[in-house]
Amino acid sequence: MNHFQNSHDRKIHLESRSGLRMDFNADGSVHRMMHGDVMINLFPGNGVEAGPIGIFLRCFDAVNEVTSTPLFGPGSPSSYGGDERGFVARGEWNRLAYTVRLVLAEEAPVWFWYVSLENRSAEFVSGDLIYMQDVALASEGAVRLNEFFVSQYVDHTPLEHSECGYGVASRQNQSVGGRTPWLLLGSLTHGVAFATDALQFYGLNARTQEVPLGLAEGLSKRRLQLEHSMVGIQDSPFILAPGIGISCGFYGLFVPDHPKASSDEDLKKVDEVIALSEAQDVISGTPELQLGVPSLFTAAPVLNSLTLDEEALVQHYGHELRQAEFVEEDLVSFFTPEGDHVVLKEKEMRVLRPHGYLLRSGDALIPDEAALTSTAWMDGVFHSMVTQGHVSINRFLTTCHGFLGLFRSYGMRIFIEVDGHWELLGIPSVFSMAFRSCRWIYQHEDGVLEVKSFAEKDEHLLRVAVRVLEGKPTRLFIPCSLAINGEDSSLPPPKIETSPEGIRVYASAAADVGRRFSEGFFEVAAESGTVFEAVGRDELLFADGLSRGKHFLCLITESAMEAQFFLEGHLVEAPEASSNSAVKFSPVELSLSSTESEAPERVGEIFPWFVQNALVHYLSPRGLEQFSGGGWGTRDVCQGPVELLLALGAHEPIRDILLRVFRQQNPDGDWPQWFMFFERERNIRPDDSHGDIVYWPVLALAQYLLTTGDASLLTEKVHFFHADGPDAGENATIAAHVERAIALMQRRVIKGTHLAAYGHGDWNDSLQPVIPEMRDGLCSSWTVTLAYQTFSTLAQAMRFVGQPMRAEELEKTAGKIL
């Protein structure tokens, strides 16, 4: 029997004896689908806007024009409810009365969506149904760590059943506890088309709230293996005479472990599904239904930003547009003389990957745990994934998930008041990225608005400034989606305290941030001249003024021509005087120029940005899409950052890197594949590494010695890694650490040779030996070359710092490899 639960905010929980569990939000959207430890869906509906799971009703007019509506969720005309039989949505749209019922099978992990339609008009109505279901089939932790990674391992195989038409079998090829979860989705009547990725259904239309491509044109009947794993099933079309109704629907079958790849043999599972007693069910009875209240993210339109003409571009950026990029005759991007990169709306709507930028406070060239990091996006995300210290764990604001624009509520967003109603700032007319700031310009029908986000250079602050450049004063509604208690957390919302100095947000003691920083908090405060007329939680997002328990801080400013506020972290307090104040650098200091050729000019334009990206990878290691991180790959940090800092002549930060790396060395001489470089997270590290890892720290040290002649580093003492603490391990000089590594290198060779054994692999993660015994008998030419380079470079370094006898021994070792 299904178990039904309806809480104060009308959440619905369903569970069957088969172990299948489904949770619905109060707005009628699916939050989570689970079976045991496997999360079936990829993007949870978060309670303020719908997730991707939906059934869409399409109608066709006499000239085949298409209109459509979702049948449940906050954007639908439905009322919702639930009882012991399942979830129900009911409504009327475009002359059709409809009922949708979700039923879970009792003895098998199967669900059924039943849909009844009745034509209540005096005319014929034609249309069809499309069922969309995002697919993860992974642990919840893996899903929320990065949906792209999970999606890349899901294999989608279209199958065609003689009666039910097209279905899609989805298999997660990344093991989940030694199992390969599997899912089969299809129609209870006859599927005529399918999709396997959200890009096929949405296109890029979600970025501007346009009708999804799949609803406008139908599904493509083509398999696409991309990064938003989503299955779509398009049902056969119907024509309903006046007063006539039909019943149809869709099914889902979950298999906890499907060792074999999907094939036509799996079609017999369709017969097993439709033979279940629940598949013969009819829609009868209706529980008490209530109309869902959509949040502002669903109800409010997106501000229509207009294209800037040449005069407006000159006004904002001057006459000199460098490295201008055109598509046909349309200008889509350029650089300014100051090095800013400027992107027009027309480019954002053409490219698959949206434009985003990582901001980081401070300018030190060694890691600073007090630094704030934020990710900004062109489509109106002014700060997101704001962290202090560890750039993945210590989160204040939530992370944007997916690059198609499926969600608008993550991070910090801004609505402006237009004629008494709110409109969301989305894709601007133009977006520019400088080395410490981003700028959005919105030219719209009633004026021009500018938003700037800053990461301060001399203090750890993130700022936002909003100015009306043309038009009337406006109020701002600023919802901040909070992650301080965890993303999609089951914990209560965090504590918020308001004072004249600012608004403080504290993590719960049960949250990761709360456990790590019991007295820590993040703060949002208005600058002088800016007034918050209202400060609240998620209740401000809903027309009924009632909270749904969602984790939001919502701010409303008084009407003004300008508003400014800042974010500050108080998890880790910055020292009064920085010990590395002399070791600072800005990419904008770099320039290359040439009047004889365009190529050096182009290189000179982009080179500072390469340096900026490299510094982010080094000091705040996370990405726009690979947003989890926070540690150093042992190989990575000994390559890019070391070589960049050598090129910049910044030797003190290299010394700092080397000391941090050697403190992570295991007593056997090896290193972990990656590690966390702040002491607070020192025990977050793997137990093993690839066969090439042991060489990189030694090679980086040799390069440093050859450049600086700093032989004192060899006598510096640091501890080998020990899980009990930084001082628990054996204490030894860097020279002794090097000898321990060399001894391991010389043991890890193929028997009878001086060739480095393959071990757990090299830089290519995909080339892992399936048979463990092969690790000792295989070699990688890449690693062998690296071994020779390491011994020969270290020999040069030893000779350079006055140790010729050790240099000679290393040269002989290198010679044996050839």
Side-chain angles (χ1 to χ4, degrees):
M1 175 178 290
N2 293 313
H3 299 287
F4 166 73
Q5 170 184 317
N6 202 336
S7 65
H8 70 282
D9 60 354
R10 303 199 306 278
K11 289 181 180 177
I12 297 170
H13 172 76
L14 303 174
E15 187 170 344
S16 71
R17 285 195 297 268
S18 71
L20 191 64
R21 310 188 305 277
M22 294 184 66
D23 293 304
F24 286 78
N25 295 305
D27 59 10
S29 64
V30 177
H31 173 57
R32 186 181 284 110
M33 302 177 66
M34 300 287 297
H35 186 278
D37 60 349
V38 175
M39 186 168 169
I40 296 172
N41 61 318
L42 188 67
F43 295 102
N46 58 28
V48 295
E49 52 184 337
I53 298 175
I55 297 176
F56 299 86
L57 172 59
R58 303 197 307 160
C59 286
F60 317 131
D61 64 15
V63 293
N64 224 27
E65 289 290 325
V66 180
T67 54
S68 61
T69 186
L71 295 185
F72 57 89
S76 78
S78 302
S79 296
Y80 316 105
D83 57 18
E84 69 281 353
R85 296 192 60 222
F87 166 84
V88 175
R90 175 167 287 179
E92 187 168 334
W93 175 81
N94 199 25
R95 302 168 292 165
L96 292 174
Y98 63 85
T99 300
V100 178
R101 182 183 286 275
L102 172 75
V103 174
L104 306 186
E106 279 302 321
E107 305 304 329
V110 175
W111 65 91
F112 297 97
W113 292 100
Y114 300 114
V115 182
S116 71
L117 301 170
E118 181 184 353
N119 182 0
R120 292 187 175 176
S121 73
E123 300 176 356
F124 282 81
V125 177
S126 63
D128 66 9
L129 294 170
I130 294 178
Y131 171 38
M132 298 303 302
Q133 165 79 56
D134 53 333
V135 179
L137 304 177
S139 69
E140 187 171 4
V143 173
R144 299 312 281 159
L145 192 65
N146 196 295
E147 295 88 353
F148 301 122
F149 185 83
V150 168
S151 293
Q152 289 164 357
Y153 283 91
V154 181
D155 171 75
H156 300 287
T157 301
L159 301 174
E160 190 169 8
H161 188 266
S162 57
E163 294 182 12
C164 296
Y166 283 113
V168 175
S170 303
R171 182 176 184 269
Q172 175 55 263
N173 292 321
Q174 185 81 349
S175 172
V176 181
R179 309 181 307 276
T180 50
W182 188 85
L183 181 69
L184 179 63
L185 299 172
S187 168
L188 289 171
T189 48
H190 192 81
V192 298
F194 61 86
T196 59
D197 192 87
L199 181 64
Q200 294 171 299
F201 180 69
Y202 291 99
L204 301 182
N205 294 2
R207 293 180 184 173
T208 54
Q209 281 193 329
E210 295 179 54
V211 174
L213 189 67
L215 292 180
E217 302 178 2
L219 302 185
S220 62
K221 203 161 69 172
R222 183 173 66 90
R223 177 165 63 176
L224 181 65
Q225 302 278 172
L226 263 181
E227 294 168 303
H228 291 71
S229 173
M230 182 180 292
V231 169
I233 302 293
Q234 182 175 329
D235 217 1
S236 55
F238 60 78
I239 300 177
L240 294 181
I244 299 300
I246 61 168
S247 295
C248 47
F250 305 89
Y251 67 83
L253 162 66
F254 173 76
V255 175
D257 189 18
H258 192 285
K260 293 183 179 180
S262 304
S263 70
D264 285 345
E265 291 184 14
D266 292 306
L267 285 170
K268 57 188 176 185
K269 291 184 174 63
V270 180
D271 299 321
E272 295 169 3
V273 167
I274 61 180
L276 292 170
S277 60
E278 290 89 353
Q280 318 305 320
D281 204 352
V282 294
I283 298 174
S284 60
T286 303
E288 180 184 353
L289 303 180
Q290 300 184 52
L291 188 65
V293 179
S295 77
L296 202 57
F297 287 107
T298 299
V302 174
L303 181 74
N304 180 31
S305 60
L306 306 175
T307 300
L308 294 184
D309 57 24
E310 184 177 350
E311 182 180 348
L313 281 173
V314 169
Q315 177 184 349
H316 293 298
Y317 296 102
H319 289 276
E320 187 179 351
L321 310 184
R322 292 159 57 161
Q323 308 301 332
E325 179 185 11
F326 292 87
V327 174
E328 296 174 351
E329 296 183 356
D330 295 332
L331 175 68
V332 295
S333 72
F334 58 89
F335 288 86
T336 69
E338 295 75 28
D340 298 0
H341 183 46
V342 183
V343 180
L344 280 71
K345 177 180 181 180
E346 288 69 24
K347 184 171 184 179
E348 178 78 352
M349 292 308 301
R350 282 184 165 100
V351 297
L352 184 62
R353 256 50 186 183
H355 294 84
Y357 190 56
L358 268 70
L359 296 166
R360 183 179 186 275
S361 66
D363 62 352
L365 280 183
I366 68 171
D368 184 350
E369 198 179 12
L372 292 170
T373 306
S374 171
T375 303
W377 294 94
M378 180 174 178
D379 65 341
V381 181
F382 304 106
H383 284 297
S384 70
M385 199 174 172
V386 171
T387 56
Q388 185 181 39
H390 194 284
V391 298
S392 183
I393 300 174
N394 301 342
R395 302 189 193 189
F396 174 46
L397 299 184
T398 55
T399 304
C400 294
H401 296 268
F403 55 73
L404 296 179
L406 306 187
F407 294 94
R408 301 185 183 281
S409 60
Y410 291 118
M412 175 189 289
R413 305 302 298 257
I414 296 178
F415 295 83
I416 66 169
E417 191 173 37
V418 179
D419 297 330
H421 68 273
W422 296 112
E423 295 194 12
L424 179 67
L425 298 183
I427 297 176
S429 305
V430 66
F431 174 65
S432 56
M433 293 162 278
F435 291 106
R436 294 197 167 274
S437 65
C438 298
R439 182 189 188 198
W440 295 255
I441 295 176
Y442 295 87
Q443 181 167 319
H444 55 102
E445 293 181 357
D446 298 317
V448 180
L449 188 80
E450 175 193 73
V451 183
K452 285 186 177 181
S453 289
F454 305 84
E456 289 290 351
K457 177 181 178 180
D458 298 321
E459 54 184 333
H460 293 310
L461 292 177
L462 298 173
R463 299 186 186 276
V464 178
V466 183
R467 288 195 303 156
V468 177
L469 302 181
E470 296 178 20
K472 301 176 182 178
T474 185
R475 296 162 75 218
L476 306 178
F477 187 116
I478 308 160
C480 301
S481 176
L482 302 175
I484 194 169
N485 271 2
E487 296 224 9
D488 301 313
S489 177
S490 59
L491 295 173
K495 182 175 73 171
I496 297 176
E497 290 183 352
T498 302
S499 71
E501 289 74 34
I503 302 135
R504 294 182 173 184
V505 182
Y506 294 84
S508 300
D512 284 342
V513 174
R515 284 191 294 266
R516 291 158 61 81
F517 306 97
S518 58
E519 302 298 324
F521 60 92
F522 284 91
E523 186 172 23
V524 180
E527 301 277 14
S528 176
T530 297
V531 177
F532 294 138
E533 70 173 38
V535 176
R537 298 177 181 265
D538 69 316
E539 72 276 359
L540 296 179
L541 289 168
F542 297 94
D544 60 11
L546 300 177
S547 171
R548 271 67 174 173
K550 304 305 174 185
H551 296 203
F552 277 86
L553 167 64
C554 294
L555 312 169
I556 301 177
T557 67
E558 288 186 346
S559 182
M561 294 293 287
E562 184 174 357
Q564 297 187 53
F565 53 96
F566 64 85
L567 285 68
E568 189 171 14
H570 293 275
L571 305 182
V572 178
E573 297 298 341
E576 291 185 9
S578 175
S579 60
N580 52 60
S581 58
V583 190
K584 298 186 177 182
F585 171 77
S586 173
V588 78
E589 298 168 9
L590 297 174
S591 64
L592 296 174
S593 62
S594 172
T595 58
E596 299 179 3
S597 171
E598 183 183 358
E601 184 179 321
R602 290 170 61 85
V603 171
E605 209 76 73
I606 197 64
F607 185 68
W609 286 101
F610 287 162
V611 174
Q612 190 273 345
N613 286 188
L615 291 176
V616 167
H617 183 67
Y618 157 44
L619 295 166
S620 305
R622 76 179 196 217
L624 294 175
E625 294 176 1
Q626 183 59 48
F627 41 76
S628 57
W632 283 344
T634 304
R635 178 195 300 134
D636 296 346
V637 75
C638 292
Q639 288 185 90
V642 167
E643 293 177 359
L644 172 66
L645 294 167
L646 283 172
L648 297 176
H651 299 150
E652 185 179 334
I654 303 173
R655 199 177 200 277
D656 178 81
I657 290 174
L658 292 170
L659 289 172
R660 290 175 191 259
V661 168
F662 277 96
R663 288 189 189 102
Q664 291 289 331
Q665 189 179 16
N666 296 323
D668 68 351
D670 201 4
W671 276 267
Q673 186 76 18
W674 51 265
F675 60 89
M676 300 298 167
F677 52 85
F678 290 130
E679 187 59 34
R680 202 180 305 274
E681 296 88 22
R682 68 185 308 273
N683 285 344
I684 302 177
R685 67 204 300 268
D687 295 328
D688 59 4
S689 63
H690 290 181
D692 67 301
I693 295 301
V694 68
Y695 296 96
W696 288 106
V698 178
L699 177 59
L701 173 68
Q703 292 171 320
Y704 171 80
L705 294 175
L706 275 174
T707 303
T708 65
D710 179 18
S712 67
L713 180 57
L714 293 171
T715 59
E716 182 105 10
K717 281 193 169 186
V718 298
H719 291 265
F720 283 91
F721 180 83
H722 195 290
D724 291 345
D727 300 325
E730 177 189 353
N731 198 18
T733 64
I734 294 295
H737 279 256
V738 171
E739 294 305 323
R740 191 79 57 91
I742 290 174
L744 181 65
M745 296 173 195
Q746 293 178 325
R747 292 197 304 272
R748 285 184 178 173
V749 295
I750 298 172
K751 189 175 181 179
T753 77
H754 295 280
L755 302 177
Y758 194 66
H760 288 284
D762 59 16
W763 64 275
N764 189 335
D765 290 349
S766 66
L767 297 179
Q768 302 281 344
V770 176
I771 303 172
E773 292 75 17
M774 295 179 67
R775 295 170 180 167
D776 298 327
L778 290 175
C779 77
S780 158
S781 60
W782 188 84
T783 305
V784 171
T785 303
L786 174 63
Y788 176 79
Q789 182 187 5
T790 301
F791 284 116
S792 58
T793 307
L794 184 60
Q796 295 175 51
M798 290 297 101
R799 198 174 295 281
F800 185 65
V801 297
Q803 298 189 27
M805 294 180 62
R806 186 61 179 125
E808 186 175 343
E809 293 170 355
L810 291 166
E811 288 166 350
K812 289 178 180 179
T813 302
K816 293 175 183 178
I817 297 174
L818 296 177

